[in-house]
């Protein structure tokens, strides 16, 4: 029986799906120095929660595939893996609708202050003080800009259509099959819209691209929503822009140094913060775990993996 190493968390569904096919070992620390001689000799497949760096690849010389739990695989060095002939897979599509649903929820929560309104009720203030204050912002009349219009971005856009908001987007290449207005730069998008939703991957090109000047371009009625990666937003610039009222509010599901969230962000009443829960329903997380298992079962059974990452597709030629 081949051996699969569960690196980081061992999702209960991994055990259920993988145990009939493989001998399972665990490496909760994800640290290469904790790899035992037995692991080094026997492990041919691994699961990961987006944390698999070159020293861990090097510590497992018989590794053939790393199956990431998550569509974003920025914590897995896929180029290094490809260079060593190791396959990497991720979990696209199965989470698109859940993440898009959460994005719409976060957008409305941010604009209409619904979490604050519920806290007001729960604190008994409705009875004592009367109606909750009117939200200064509304979705009515907004122009939404999507920074990223891939699998998830397109699901967000589809959900926005019945809200009767204008929709524009910026990506590196225009999507001719889609009818939304394309803006060739992020700056042009921020100048055009008043609501910016970021759903781009963590790459060198997206690092802190949402900075003070983009936020100023969004303007004093502007709302920023980030569901991609915290890396994309300069958090210090966001705090400064909120303090200076250069934008009107922000909703964030992702942060630069998770699970640490800058204390300054918690000061603002016009900011809605979520602990990276966009895909976090049982049904969707189980679907992601199933796809991790399907990739391992296929590839270690000498079939093509279901969802290889682009960097490793050349290994299949
Ligand atoms: P995808 O299908 O690969 O879409 C990525 C989009 O970003 C594409 O439209 C791409 O268009 C655009 N893009 C990439 N680099 C860009 C750049 N430098 N400038 C402008 N646009 C750029 O990915 P996806 O499945 O939608 O997922 C997107 C990301 O969301 C993931 O990588 C992950 O980090 C994040 N995510 C977060 C959660 C959460 O729980 N909060 C859940 C799932 C995913 P072009 O190639 O034309 O530029
Ligand atoms: C993670 C995500 O998978 O898929 C992604 O890229 O960010 C999430 O769905 C989740 O945080 C598990 O760690």
């Amino acid at each position: 029986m081949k051996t699969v190493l569960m690196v980081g968390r061992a999702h209960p569904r991994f055990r259920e799906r993988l145990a009939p096919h493989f001998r399972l070992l665990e490496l909760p620390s994800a640290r290469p120095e904790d790899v035992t001689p037995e692991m080094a000799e026997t492990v041919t497949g691994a699961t990961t929660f987006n944390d698999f760096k070159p020293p861990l690849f090097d510590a497992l010389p018989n590794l053939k595939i790393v199956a990431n739990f998550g569509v974003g695989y920025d914590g897995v060095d896929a180029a290094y893996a490809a260079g060593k002939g190791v396959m990497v897979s991720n979990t696209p599509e199965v989470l698109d609708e859940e993440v898009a649903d959460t994005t719409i929820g976060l957008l409305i929560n941010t604009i209409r202050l619904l979490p604050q309104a519920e806290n007001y009720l729960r604190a008994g203030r409705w009875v004592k003080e009367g109606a909750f204050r009117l939200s200064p912002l509304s979705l009515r009349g907004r122009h939404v800009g999507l920074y990223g219009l891939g699998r998830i971005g397109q699901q967000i856009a589809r959900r926005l259509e019945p809200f009767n908001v204008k929709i524009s987007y910026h990506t590196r290449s225009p999507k001719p099959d889609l009818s939304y207005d394309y803006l060739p730069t992020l700056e042009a998008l921020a100048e055009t819209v008043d609501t910016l939703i970021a759903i781009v991957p963590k790459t060198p090109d997206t690092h802190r691209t949402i900075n003070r000047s983009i936020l100023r371009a969004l303007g004093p009625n502007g709302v920023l929503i980030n569901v991609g990666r915290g890396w994309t937003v300069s958090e210090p610039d966001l705090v400064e822009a909120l303090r200076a009222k250069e934008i009107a509010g922000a909703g964030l599901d992702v942060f630069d140094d998770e699970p640490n969230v800058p204390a300054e962000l918690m000061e603002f009443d016009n900011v809605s913060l979520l602990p990276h829960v966009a895909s976090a329903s049982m049904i969707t997380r189980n679907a992601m775990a199933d796809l991790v298992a399907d990739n391992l079962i296929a590839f270690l059974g000498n079939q093509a993996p279901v969802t290889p990452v682009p960097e490793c597709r050349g290994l299949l030629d």
Side-chain angles (χ1 to χ4, degrees):
M1 220 177 196
K2 290 178 177 160
T3 302
V4 165
L5 183 65
M6 295 185 290
V7 176
R9 279 176 280 163
H11 195 288
R13 194 83 154 206
F14 291 169
R15 283 184 208 290
E16 202 181 301
R17 290 287 318 282
L18 296 173
H21 301 268
F22 306 111
R23 193 169 72 102
L24 296 176
L25 297 177
E26 289 181 46
L27 186 68
S29 73
R31 285 154 44 111
E33 48 272 42
D34 296 335
V35 169
T36 63
E38 184 203 9
M39 290 173 188
E41 192 185 319
T42 61
V43 167
T44 53
T47 62
T48 180
F49 282 75
N50 200 19
D51 183 13
F52 216 102
K53 304 284 179 331
L56 191 51
F57 283 100
D58 294 343
L60 295 165
N62 297 309
L63 193 60
K64 302 273 178 282
I65 176 168
V66 174
N68 185 48
F69 182 87
V71 65
Y73 56 96
D74 44 84
V76 181
D77 198 327
Y80 190 76
K84 288 182 79 94
V86 178
M87 177 57 64
V88 175
S89 63
N90 65 342
T91 60
E93 295 181 6
V94 292
L95 43 53
D96 293 352
E97 296 206 292
E98 199 75 72
V99 175
D101 292 351
T102 311
T103 306
I104 301 298
L106 180 58
L107 173 68
I108 295 176
N109 278 354
T110 305
I111 287 184
R112 294 297 327 287
L113 306 175
L114 300 185
Q116 293 89 327
E118 182 169 351
N119 288 342
Y120 184 88
L121 177 156
R122 285 175 184 268
R125 295 179 61 188
W126 189 13
V127 174
K128 288 190 204 131
E129 300 172 40
F132 184 67
R133 68 184 187 278
L134 305 184
S135 69
L137 305 178
S138 166
L139 201 53
R140 300 301 92 233
R142 284 203 167 255
H143 187 166
V144 180
L146 282 151
Y147 176 32
L149 194 64
R151 292 167 295 235
I152 300 171
Q154 288 179 37
Q155 288 294 337
I156 297 170
R158 277 186 55 190
R159 280 159 177 70
L160 284 170
E161 283 177 22
F163 285 97
N164 292 325
V165 291
K166 279 201 242 167
I167 303 173
S168 300
Y169 72 100
H170 165 65
T171 51
R172 289 165 301 179
S173 52
K175 317 291 169 207
D177 297 344
L178 298 170
S179 60
Y180 314 116
D181 290 336
Y182 176 71
L183 277 303
T185 63
L186 175 58
E187 193 162 41
L189 183 70
E191 278 164 2
T192 305
V193 304
D194 53 33
T195 309
L196 183 63
I197 300 181
I199 182 68
V200 285
K202 174 177 177 176
T203 70
D205 291 344
T206 59
H207 189 214
R208 293 195 168 187
T209 41
I210 300 180
N211 55 24
R212 190 82 182 260
S213 98
I214 294 296
L215 295 168
R216 280 190 179 132
L218 201 55
N221 190 35
V223 171
L224 170 69
I225 303 294
N226 188 15
V227 278
R229 285 287 182 263
W231 160 273
T232 301
V233 174
S234 165
E235 288 170 350
D237 282 11
L238 175 59
V239 168
E240 288 310 313
L242 285 161
R243 277 194 183 135
K245 301 196 184 326
E246 289 167 355
I247 64 167
L252 309 171
D253 181 52
V254 285
F255 302 89
D256 215 4
D257 179 30
E258 295 175 5
N260 302 303
V261 176
E264 295 92 330
L265 283 174
M266 311 222 193
E267 289 167 13
F268 298 104
D269 190 43
N270 54 345
V271 171
S272 190
L273 304 169
L274 295 176
H276 200 147
V277 294
S279 68
S281 68
M282 285 188 185
I283 189 169
T284 295
R285 288 290 173 85
N286 281 342
M288 292 163 66
D290 279 340
L291 188 48
V292 168
D294 291 342
N295 274 296
L296 286 164
I297 293 164
F299 195 66
L300 294 178
N302 300 320
Q303 313 269 308
V306 188
T307 48
V309 303
E311 291 88 334
C312 295
R313 284 182 198 150
L315 298 176
L316 298 170
D317 295 340

